[in-house]
Amino acid sequence: MKFSELLKGLTPYTAGEQPKNKKYIKLNTNENAYPPSPSVRGVLAAFDADALRLYPDPDASELKLTLAERYGLSPENIFTGNGSDEILGFCFPAFFDRESPPVLFPDVTYSFYPVYAALYGIPYKTPPLRADYTVDAACYSPLVSPSQGVIIANPNAPTGIALPLYGIEEILVQNRETVVIVDEAYAEFGGVTAMPLIDEYDNLLVVRTFSKAYSLAGIRCGYAVGQKPLIDALGVIKNSFNSYTLDSLTIKIAAAACRDMEYYDMINERIANIRDGAARRLRADGFTVLDSAANFLFLKKDGVCGERLFSALKERGILTRHFKGSRTSDFIRATVGTDTETEVFCGAVKEIADGILHGKG
Ligand SMILES: *Cc1c(COP(=O)(O)O)cnc(C)c1O
C-alpha cells in the first residue's frame, strides 16, 4: 500500500487511557469528579429521536447565542468545535504558515500543540518555563524570539500553574500583529481568564472546553472567543473540512449546561477546595506539589521516580498520568477526584513513596 510521506513523519498524540475492563479510581484525564448539571439530564430525557433524521445546524446558533449572552458578546465573536482539540487543530492552518518564523509555546505544556504543528508542517519553538515551572512572558517578545504566533495554556498543563493576567497582557502587547491563543481548558477552576481582554486585543483568541469544568468530556464540545476576523478565519477552515462538527444533541446539551452556571460554580469550587486540601496534605507528607489553579495536581517526591509512582498507583487501582521528558518525568499528574477518591489517592501515594524510599535506604 502507498501511504503519504506526511504520515510516515507523524507521531500522534497519546490520549490518557480509558479503561474498559478494570474498575479504577480514574485520575488520569482530568474529567470532572461530579456529574453534569440537572438540565443536561433534562435535555437527554426530552430529546426527540426523530430530530436525528436531519443534519444539525451547521452554525450551532443556539449554543453560540447562549455563550454570547453569557459573555456579553455577539455570536460573531464565538466559534464552536468538536472539542477544543479540534479548534486548536483548526488554528494552525488558519493562522500559521510553513515558511514563516516559528510558533511559540512553552517547553512544558499541552503535548498536542507540537502534534498539530507537525501535521501542518508548521515550525515551532519552545521557550523554557522558568526553573519554578512558571511562564516567563519576556520569552515571547519578538525581540527575543521572532514568531508567527503564540499558544499559552492558562492554567498550564500539566503543571496547573496559572499565569497572572498581566503576563498574558504582556504577551498580547508584544505580539500585536500575530495571534495569541490562550487555551483556557481549566480556567473555571480558579485561574484567571483573558476573556475581558477580547475587546482591546484583536490578536487574542481564548479557547475553552465543556470537557473539564462542565463535566461533558463525552459529548466533545469546545468554543473559542475573539474578535470577528479571527472567528471568521476559523470558520473558513472548518467549512473547508466538515460543515457539521457539532451534532444536534451536543448543541442542545452544551447550551443547557451554560444555563446552569450556579450548579457548575458550586461543583468546581468544591473541586478547587479538595485540590487545595490535598496539596497541603501532600506537601506536609514531603511531596513537591506545584501551585495548581486547575482540577489536577502535578507532584513529585525527591528520590522517587515518577514512572514508578505511576505504575505502583496503577497496580493499586489508581490511574494517574506520567509524562516522559527531562522536566516532567519526576512528576505524576493526578486529577482532583471526589473527597473519597482524593483521600484514597493521598494515602496511597504517600505509602508507595515511603515504601520506595525505605526500600532503598
Ligand atoms: C483537555 C484539554 C484540552 C482538550 O479539551 P477537549 O475540549 O476535550 O478537546 C485542550 N487543552 C488542554 C490544555 C487540555 O488539558
Side-chain angles (χ1 to χ4, degrees):
M1 261 309 286
K2 185 196 177 305
F3 295 100
S4 72
E5 289 303 314
L6 170 67
L7 188 85
K8 290 175 203 161
L10 293 181
T11 311
Y13 177 75
T14 320
E17 183 181 354
Q18 296 291 345
K20 284 168 197 82
N21 306 316
K22 194 174 162 187
K23 187 116 184 74
Y24 284 101
I25 293 182
K26 192 172 176 306
L27 308 177
N28 67 333
T29 50
N30 300 340
E31 289 134 333
N32 203 298
Y34 298 103
S37 69
S39 64
V40 167
R41 276 170 216 284
V43 168
L44 280 168
F47 192 77
D48 178 7
D50 285 356
L52 294 177
R53 192 174 61 79
L54 302 177
Y55 278 108
D57 171 9
D59 294 322
S61 307
E62 181 188 354
L63 178 55
K64 282 185 188 166
L65 277 167
T66 311
L67 285 165
E69 200 170 305
R70 185 167 140 209
Y71 294 119
L73 297 164
S74 147
E76 290 181 338
N77 297 119
I78 318 268
F79 180 81
T80 54
N82 193 259
S84 56
D85 283 342
E86 183 185 71
I87 300 173
L88 293 164
F90 288 167
C91 285
F92 280 77
F95 305 124
F96 307 137
D97 289 308
R98 287 165 183 248
E99 311 295 332
S100 283
V103 176
L104 304 180
F105 45 82
D107 62 339
V108 178
T109 191
Y110 189 36
S111 49
F112 227 135
Y113 306 148
V115 176
Y116 296 126
L119 177 61
Y120 292 103
I122 288 159
Y124 64 93
K125 195 173 148 186
T126 56
L129 297 178
R130 294 193 187 95
D132 65 359
Y133 289 82
T134 57
V135 170
D136 182 357
C139 293
Y140 298 85
S141 157
L143 301 173
V144 178
S145 271
S147 83
Q148 59 172 325
V150 175
I151 310 177
I152 298 288
N154 199 34
N156 197 10
T159 65
I161 297 174
L163 177 65
L165 203 53
Y166 62 80
I168 295 290
E169 199 159 5
E170 185 181 337
I171 296 172
L172 285 164
V173 170
Q174 287 163 342
N175 296 278
R176 283 274 185 184
E177 303 303 318
T178 51
V179 73
V180 175
I181 298 162
V182 183
D183 180 351
E184 293 192 350
Y186 301 101
E188 294 92 339
F189 298 101
V192 287
T193 175
M195 217 66 102
L197 301 178
I198 294 283
D199 277 343
E200 201 175 333
Y201 294 95
D202 64 1
N203 56 334
L204 169 62
L205 187 79
V206 176
V207 181
R208 291 269 184 114
T209 177
F210 283 89
S211 298
K212 283 40 183 263
Y214 294 85
S215 199
L216 290 170
I219 64 168
R220 311 303 303 129
C221 189
Y223 59 100
V225 181
Q227 289 191 20
K228 189 170 181 294
L230 298 185
I231 300 302
D232 288 350
L234 289 169
V236 171
I237 300 298
K238 176 214 153 202
N239 289 312
S240 305
F241 178 77
N242 174 5
S243 306
Y244 307 106
T245 51
L246 293 191
D247 61 79
S248 42
L249 190 53
T250 291
I251 293 168
K252 281 202 175 307
I253 289 175
C258 281
R259 296 186 202 106
D260 269 343
M261 285 318 294
E262 232 172 280
Y263 170 84
Y264 284 111
D265 288 347
M266 175 191 71
I267 62 167
N268 292 330
E269 194 183 319
R270 195 181 298 168
I271 288 167
N273 286 331
I274 297 173
R275 171 195 71 208
D276 294 343
R280 277 193 296 274
R281 173 172 168 183
L282 291 162
R283 285 183 190 127
D285 288 337
F287 287 87
T288 301
V289 186
L290 300 190
D291 244 330
S292 174
N295 70 335
F296 56 84
L297 292 171
F298 201 49
L299 59 134
K300 69 168 181 177
K301 189 158 203 174
D302 284 342
V304 180
C305 155
E307 194 156 17
R308 253 187 101 182
L309 215 45
F310 163 84
S311 305
L313 283 163
K314 188 170 176 181
E315 266 166 45
R316 292 201 187 192
I318 304 171
L319 267 190
T320 59
R321 196 106 204 245
H322 175 258
F323 297 94
K324 295 191 163 56
S326 58
R327 298 190 76 186
T328 52
S329 64
D330 290 346
F331 288 82
I332 56 165
R333 189 195 69 188
T335 307
V336 177
T338 60
D339 262 319
T340 319
E341 289 170 334
T342 305
E343 180 75 31
V344 173
F345 167 75
C346 289
V349 79
K350 176 184 190 306
E351 251 180 58
I352 291 165
D354 286 350
I356 291 171
L357 287 172
H358 292 152
K360 270 188 188 164

